[in-house]
Amino acid sequence: MLFGIWAAALLVVFAAFRSADLLKLPDLIGNLGGGSLVGGAGLLDSAVGILAAVLIFGGWMGLGTFVARFIPDAKAESGSLWLEIARKAAIGAITWSLIWFFLGLLGLYSGVVAVCVTVLGVVFAVMGTTQLRVARMKSDEKQALSGIDRLLIGGIAFSLLIALIGSLAPPIAKDTLLYHFAVPKAFIAQHGNAFIDGNIASYLALGTEMHVVWAMLLGNFVDPRAGEAAAGTTVFLFFPLLLMVVYGWARQAGISRGFSLLATFMIAAIPTAFHVASSGYIDISLALYIALAVYSLTRWWQSLAKAPLIFAAICLGGALAVKLTTVFVIAGFALVILLRARKTPGSAVKIGLAGFAALVLAGVIASPWYLRNWAATGSPVFPFYLSIWKGTANGWDVERSNLFQAMNSQYGGGDVSTTNYLMSPFRVSLAAQPENPELYDGVLGAAFLIGLPLLIWAIWKKKLADEFVIAAGVAGIVYLFWLFSSPQLRYLLPIAPLVTIGIVAAIESVSTDAGLEAAAKYSLLTASILAMLTSVAWFCQKAPLRVALGGETRDEYLSRNLDYYPYYQTINSETESNSRVWLINMRRDMYNIDRDVFSDYLFEDWTLRKLVWESRSSQELKAKAAAMNVQYVLTRHDFLFDYDRSTLVDDKKPRVENEAKLKIAKDLILDPANTVRADNKFSLIKVF
């Protein structure tokens, strides 16, 4: 009874916070129409994109199967069909990512190389079809599906379908336009992975972006739009692989088919997971590698065999090559290793050394990215923590590094009282909002909070198997690091599978009566449906269906979703091909512009502010702009000249002086004599 009240209250609160999406859904569905649905050229581009992604997936599977043959006792680790497919594909993806890294060092990013690599991947795939070991179906897998099972499978399939359609559309997400797609596009243009001047993101570990390079090169044989679709679809592939891990792990652990499907649907329905999978973001690939690493860690805990430890090291290394935040997971691994060693006093040293050797191996696998960075900047973790470990590169310094850390710490409302942190599970699950840093910039859903008390109760009563306790423990450690570092919701996705599997295992272990089990099942199902409907609302807002099927052109789609895109069209079509453009506050989009660009990384008016305060007149500022060797300046100015919001204002200076500086900037940015195009939000001027 109490559990039912708890679940119902959480569902109502979540629905209230998401009412803007859920209540508008009937109207938003109308966005999917508005013109022709299918067009020949666009449909061909999407088909080519899907084909390229399928070939790349085959390469992942083939090479992953081949690599697994060299891991001692790997055959003993064969699990369910879905888990085995996901693990082999993940190992292959990690290995191919390293190969593409070294190809970039050699300057071999070309279409011919991409074809050769793809052919090699297909050969490995054909060889691997006889090597993939599949566990026999459990007896109940052969039984007819129940109505709830069909509903869950339908929900999972639908979530994947809308994410796939979104991934085929031209990218519009901020970080994708800044670097997930922009950096691979620049790498291809220069035929290698040399650092890109002005784009500090090119100094990050780019393990997933290597597959974007591969996909773009293949698709570009048809046209750039096909390459774009191939890249989006390839990154999307990590989403179904992650769902395979969740389902396969749950079934392997003896959880019933119904609850295994429910756990899978809980992940598939997370709105931020849909956003990440459909937008070219990398957090789903990170979640895949971490989920597999933790699964392997639990296998090692039970058997102390070499194979699961090696699998864990490979997947953890792959995760570290995607994002530095994997160090939080490594901290959790280190604690588990120490606890396992303590559990066996006679072999504690041997067990501890083996466990930490796996962590070292993970570091070795990821090390090429960090060694590359270290050699170029002086710091392996550049552009982060420069106040601790000095590093230098054009366009970045200690001050901006510290500001970046301060900016990230503001996610989740980090400047408020301790109560804010204590209430974070409720705020993350119920109140989180996209495009709102104080509310974690995403949406998770109520399902996890509904199931959390049951998970905690099962652990407290020691009714949960060790593997689920380990998964929950690693998730808890990562959550605490996340909460006190940069609590953006998509950074939390890597632990969602761990919590989800623990929740469904807890329900089966503590449900002493059918009533509690049914209440838990149906409340989690309802919560997941509400979350999925939120994803559907987001899908309809962007309305990518027509562009994916070719009924809408790329330019039309981008003009609908990016208000500044018409200015990029003007630059691409009406300026000299050798022009250089200075972008100020233009949403960090370096992907859609086909001219040489100068743009400050993250703090997009940094240079403007510096020049304004160094200049004594409008003429001097214009001269400084001309000296930068830029021919055009494109600015978003709607807030730039608002005294109360402008980043050009120095609060330490008197108002009179600040207003004089704003006028100097305005004389440059809104110069009527040199304006090419302007409105009340954007201004494109020519510099003489």
Side-chain angles (χ1 to χ4, degrees), residues 388-454:
I388 300 173
W389 196 324
K390 302 296 183 184
T392 57
N394 184 34
W396 201 249
D397 49 37
V398 174
E399 185 178 1
R400 276 177 275 195
S401 176
N402 292 338
L403 283 173
F404 187 25
Q405 290 172 235
M407 180 185 73
N408 282 334
S409 68
Q410 296 307 303
Y411 283 88
D415 58 339
V416 296
S417 67
T418 305
T419 305
N420 197 40
Y421 293 111
L422 296 177
M423 293 296 293
S424 63
F426 295 89
R427 299 176 74 240
V428 167
S429 300
L430 305 177
Q433 299 282 355
E435 303 297 332
N436 187 335
E438 290 190 1
L439 290 175
Y440 308 104
D441 189 22
V443 175
L444 181 63
F448 298 89
L449 192 57
I450 289 172
L452 188 61
L454 295 176

Side-chain angles (χ1 to χ4, degrees), residues 14 18 21-22 25 269 271 274 443 529-539:
F14 174 75
R18 297 266 39 97
D21 293 323
L22 300 176
L25 185 55
F274 158 75
V443 175
I529 291 174
L530 287 174
M532 186 186 70
L533 290 175
T534 302
S535 299
V536 174
W538 293 3
F539 174 80

